Amino acid sequence: MVQLPEWNLCTGCGACSCVCPKNCIEMKQDKEGFLRPFVDKELCVSCGRCEQICHVLVKQKEKKEKPIAYAIRHNNDEILKKSSSGGAFSVFADKIFEKNGVVYGAVYGSDWTVRLTRAKNSEELEAMRGSKYVQSMAGEAYLKAAQDLEDGLSVLFTGLPCQIAGLYAFLGKDYSNLFTVDIVCHGAGSPGLFQSYIEDIEDKERKKVIRINHRDKKDGWSELIPIKMMRETEDGKKEYIPAFEDPYLYAFVQSMIVMPSCYHCQYACVPRIGDITMGDYGGLGVIEPTNIYCNKGISQILVNTKKGKVFFEQCDMVCEERPLRECMMFNLNLWKPAKKHAQRDQLFQDYTELPFRELAKKYMRMSTKMKIMRKIKQGAEKIEGAHAVSKRMLDFNIKNGALENLDDIIKRIEKLQQL
Ligand SMILES: Cc1cc2nc3c(=O)[nH]c(=O)nc-3n(C[C@H](O)[C@H](O)[C@H](O)COP(=O)(O)OP(=O)(O)OC[C@H]3O[C@@H](n4cnc5c(N)ncnc54)[C@H](O)[C@@H]3O)c2cc1C
């Protein structure tokens, strides 16, 4: 019988189900609502293909080059508005379309599950924009991307770092026409729990939810503005809810509803797995002055390979090289996994027993006292400005020991060869 990784190590990338010659590995939601492989023991012939391509079981090649850090943003304000941070994804996608290539990214299905799909042009790209803080299904995209690569098309593959690792393991080799972009990741939220969240809204509103945006920018994008969830129902009603008032977003930000494997993610490290890494730029200009600060969104980019560098230099955007230290000080998930919330396991024990509304009341909300404190703090922050907020965040990280081994890590990176 094949031995796939333990349930708390598997990232659910789905590569195993794609290579199984007997089609006996199905990706299904587990008791916590996460996608993972289930092997049909009756059909399995123990050929071991699934074990051989599993990125958790087979160690991936380490990157040996020193990344270069940038702050960037798209130079089209409309696209910037639709993007979660600085629109880096669209910058890279535009370049690939110019080469008549294809782009892989995440879209919602009609049942609010998320999967990686393929786009051939900017119309098809539209649905990929925006962070979906939910575990996505990658498997089918691996099969299609492999075909595109063999056909000689330029392929931009974006995904969570574990999905990029899954792709490399699945392909078994690198291709000169493949450009991978991994996303700085706080963890992948439970698809089952997300579906329950949507059902609960529909039940309360007695209307279908037609659009969700986990990172709406209606009020702008900066350290001063909390992340907002936008929910639109079929009657055209839109609600904008700050992260600390929306149960799903609150629990996600608190690392309460992510996959068990996320808490010891082996890809939350620098150098990173993709040719390029993209994330949100917090704390821009705190370590060194900047000329490109804007409150519509800034992406943090690490260029990790020579291939990534050549590609990046062809792209058209507003761009500034930044100290790697600044990126790492403000974006902990770039180099360390999210910390497990103390109530995480309890929440998932109740997940099968309690309706979403009860679960949200019990775990997924701030106390009224904390909400009031938060509002007072936000008022003060508005007066102090974005930089003061970043500096306080930094002090908080230092005090908590979150940056303890940062200097050693940076020293190690400095010794790597230049790109
Ligand atoms: C689950 C998750 C956790 C994240 N955590 C952090 C973090 O801790 N720190 C940080 O700096 N940034 C984080 N991000 C990344 C950030 O929110 C932006 O997605 C990223 O900066 C790209 O922004 P953009 O403006 O370039 O792209 P957009 O145009 O908004 O494009 C979004 C990109 O994310 C991809 N994507 C969206 N949802 C998923 C998904 N569920 N699975 C796989 N790919 C997806 C899309 O395919 C596209 O490539 C996270 C994103 C996700 C999806």
Side-chain angles (χ1 to χ4, degrees):
M1 184 63 196
V2 291
Q3 284 291 319
L4 288 174
E6 296 288 313
W7 76 282
N8 61 335
L9 296 176
C10 174
T11 66
C13 76
C16 52
S17 76
C18 294
V19 294
C20 176
K22 292 286 171 191
N23 269 332
C24 69
I25 305 181
E26 197 185 345
M27 297 301 291
K28 287 196 293 196
Q29 286 186 11
D30 66 8
K31 62 182 190 322
E32 296 185 340
F34 293 103
L35 290 165
R36 61 176 77 247
F38 288 83
V39 183
D40 184 333
K41 292 178 191 156
E42 302 291 313
L43 293 178
C44 176
V45 291
S46 299
C47 68
R49 279 291 292 130
C50 53
E51 294 164 312
Q52 288 153 16
I53 56 94
C54 173
H55 72 93
V56 179
L57 298 177
V58 180
K59 198 164 162 37
Q60 301 302 296
K61 217 167 81 190
E62 269 175 44
K63 294 230 153 47
K64 300 253 178 336
E65 291 148 323
K66 183 180 150 192
I68 314 174
Y70 295 91
I72 77 152
R73 70 180 143 82
H74 205 285
N75 43 28
N76 177 325
D77 275 6
E78 272 314 298
I79 291 180
L80 201 50
K81 217 161 130 195
K82 293 183 199 164
S83 310
S84 292
S85 50
F89 169 60
S90 300
V91 167
F92 303 145
D94 290 348
K95 184 44 69 188
I96 289 288
F97 292 144
E98 254 177 59
K99 295 172 187 276
N100 292 321
V102 292
V103 175
Y104 285 84
V107 302
Y108 287 116
S110 55
D111 58 355
W112 294 103
T113 54
V114 181
R115 60 182 60 230
L116 299 190
T117 57
R118 176 183 191 265
K120 304 183 288 303
N121 51 48
S122 14
E123 286 79 55
E124 290 176 357
L125 195 80
E126 197 76 19
M128 292 179 179
R129 287 203 190 96
S131 298
K132 294 115 187 139
Y133 293 138
V134 186
Q135 182 200 13
S136 52
M137 179 91 114
E140 284 165 33
Y142 294 160
L143 288 166
K144 286 189 185 153
Q147 189 58 55
D148 287 333
L149 290 165
E150 287 298 324
D151 291 345
L153 291 175
S154 292
V155 172
L156 173 70
F157 200 99
T158 68
L160 306 182
C162 52
Q163 293 174 328
I164 301 298
L167 174 73
Y168 283 134
F170 176 80
L171 295 173
K173 59 174 181 174
D174 199 2
Y175 286 79
S176 60
N177 49 335
L178 171 66
F179 305 92
T180 58
V181 177
D182 72 79
I183 298 170
V184 182
C185 182
H186 179 71
S190 159
L193 193 70
F194 184 62
Q195 284 173 316
S196 315
Y197 160 79
I198 300 278
E199 279 162 19
D200 185 61
I201 303 169
E202 293 182 339
D203 192 45
K204 242 189 280 177
E205 300 281 329
R206 301 200 177 283
K207 302 264 169 358
K208 283 261 163 235
V209 174
I210 55 163
R211 218 153 60 87
I212 284 280
N213 186 348
H214 281 92
R215 258 208 112 130
D216 196 89
K217 286 184 177 172
K218 185 169 90 59
D219 298 325
W221 189 99
S222 88
E223 288 83 342
L224 293 170
I225 302 159
I227 298 178
K228 275 200 189 83
M229 177 79 97
M230 190 285 290
R231 329 190 291 205
E232 183 178 353
T233 41
E234 59 191 338
D235 55 348
K237 184 176 147 197
K238 285 185 187 169
E239 280 188 284
Y240 299 87
I241 306 164
F244 55 92
E245 283 177 13
D246 179 88
Y248 187 87
L249 209 45
Y250 172 72
F252 176 76
V253 172
Q254 295 292 316
S255 310
M256 215 189 273
I257 54 167
V258 303
M259 258 198 131
S261 58
C262 300
Y263 301 116
H264 24 90
C265 174
Q266 54 171 319
Y267 308 108
C269 62
V270 180
R272 305 267 310 180
I273 183 103
D275 292 314
I276 295 178
T277 299
M278 64 182 177
D280 307 326
Y281 211 125
L284 175 64
V286 172
I287 303 291
E288 236 177 48
T290 173
N291 292 315
I292 69 160
Y293 188 85
C294 97
N295 63 3
K296 292 179 184 148
I298 298 274
S299 292
Q300 183 176 85
I301 296 296
L302 295 193
V303 176
N304 306 312
T305 61
K306 288 200 180 74
K307 189 172 29 151
K309 187 173 180 226
V310 172
F311 176 73
F312 185 76
E313 283 170 354
Q314 292 166 7
C315 294
D316 190 17
M317 66 206 139
V318 179
C319 172
E320 192 176 78
E321 193 174 331
R322 300 300 305 165
L324 181 63
R325 175 180 290 275
E326 185 176 75
C327 298
M328 293 176 77
M329 275 178 156
F330 289 95
N331 203 346
L332 300 183
N333 294 134
L334 191 57
W335 56 285
K336 53 164 74 177
K339 215 167 147 194
K340 184 169 162 180
H341 191 283
Q343 285 188 303
R344 188 231 179 251
D345 292 344
Q346 191 62 47
L347 181 153
F348 278 110
Q349 263 173 37
D350 283 349
Y351 168 65
T352 41
E353 307 292 324
L354 295 180
F356 182 84
R357 211 167 297 179
E358 294 298 315
L359 210 60
K361 248 193 230 160
K362 196 167 170 189
Y363 301 102
M364 304 163 83
R365 65 172 186 174
M366 251 188 190
S367 66
T368 314
K369 190 177 156 197
M370 275 171 84
K371 271 189 201 163
I372 295 170
M373 301 274 287
R374 167 106 211 171
K375 288 244 154 92
I376 295 171
K377 202 171 138 227
Q378 272 179 333
E381 284 174 355
K382 273 195 184 133
I383 300 165
E384 287 175 314
H387 264 191
V389 178
S390 297
K391 283 196 175 129
R392 203 172 23 248
M393 223 169 81
L394 190 57
D395 289 343
F396 180 79
N397 283 345
I398 294 169
K399 235 192 202 154
N400 273 344
L403 305 183
E404 231 160 45
N405 43 0
L406 179 63
D407 282 338
D408 294 339
I409 295 174
I410 289 183
K411 260 186 223 150
R412 209 171 59 222
I413 298 168
E414 289 297 333
K415 284 188 193 143
L416 297 173
Q417 68 191 61
Q418 300 284 337
L419 277 177

